[in-house]
C-alpha cells in the first residue's frame, strides 16, 4: 500500500518538534517511557502521538528543515494550508 500509516510519532506537547519516531506503537511507548525514566523528556513526559505514512513523514520533516517551521505548520493538511496561504496579503 502506498499510503499505509506505518509510522508512529511522538511530538512535544506544544506540537513544535518531533521527539521520536517508531515503526510500532509499542516501540514508541518504550522510547517515551525510557526518556521519562532517565529524565530527558521535557514537560514531565507530556507528548502528542500521531500515526502517519512514511511518505508524509518525509515531506513533513523536509518542510520543517527547509522552511524552519514547527511540526504543526508542516503537518497541516493540504486543504487547510492552501486556505491559510490564500488569506495572506502582500
Amino acid at each position: 500500500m502506498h499510503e499505509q500509516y506505518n509510522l508512529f510519532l511522538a511530538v512535544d506537547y506544544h506540537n513544535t518538534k518531533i521527539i521520536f519516531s517508531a515503526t510500532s506503537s509499542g516501540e514508541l511507548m518504550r522510547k517515551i517511557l525510557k526518556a521519562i525514566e532517565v529524565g530527558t523528556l521535557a514537560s514531565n513526559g507530556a507528548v502528542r502521538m500521531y500515526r502517519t505514512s512514511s511518505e508524509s513523514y518525509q515531506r513533513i520533516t523536509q518542510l520543517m528543515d527547509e522552511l524552519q517551521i514547527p511540526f504543526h505548520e508542516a503537518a497541516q493538511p493540504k486543504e487547510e494550508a492552501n486556505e491559510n496561504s490564500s488569506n495572506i496579503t502582500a
Side-chain angles (χ1 to χ4, degrees), residues 29-59:
M29 288 302 299
R30 284 188 294 279
K31 287 181 177 185
I32 293 168
L33 292 174
K34 182 66 175 176
I36 291 170
E37 259 181 39
V38 297
T40 59
L41 195 56
S43 68
N44 296 322
V47 297
R48 297 174 189 265
M49 294 171 43
Y50 297 91
R51 187 175 184 182
T52 191
S53 67
S54 295
E55 293 83 10
S56 291
Y57 173 73
Q58 289 171 352
R59 184 66 180 138

Side-chain angles (χ1 to χ4, degrees), residues 4-73:
Q4 183 178 2
Y5 295 115
N6 55 359
L7 197 61
F8 296 81
L9 305 176
V11 177
D12 71 312
Y13 183 74
H14 300 291
N15 238 8
T16 56
K17 65 181 182 175
I18 299 170
I19 302 170
F20 300 114
S21 63
T23 56
S24 72
S25 59
E27 178 187 358
L28 184 63
M29 288 302 299
R30 284 188 294 279
K31 287 181 177 185
I32 293 168
L33 292 174
K34 182 66 175 176
I36 291 170
E37 259 181 39
V38 297
T40 59
L41 195 56
S43 68
N44 296 322
V47 297
R48 297 174 189 265
M49 294 171 43
Y50 297 91
R51 187 175 184 182
T52 191
S53 67
S54 295
E55 293 83 10
S56 291
Y57 173 73
Q58 289 171 352
R59 184 66 180 138
I60 289 167
T61 55
Q62 179 184 16
L63 286 170
M64 289 175 69
D65 290 342
E66 288 177 4
L67 302 176
Q68 296 298 302
I69 57 176
F71 173 81
H72 66 87
E73 289 182 23

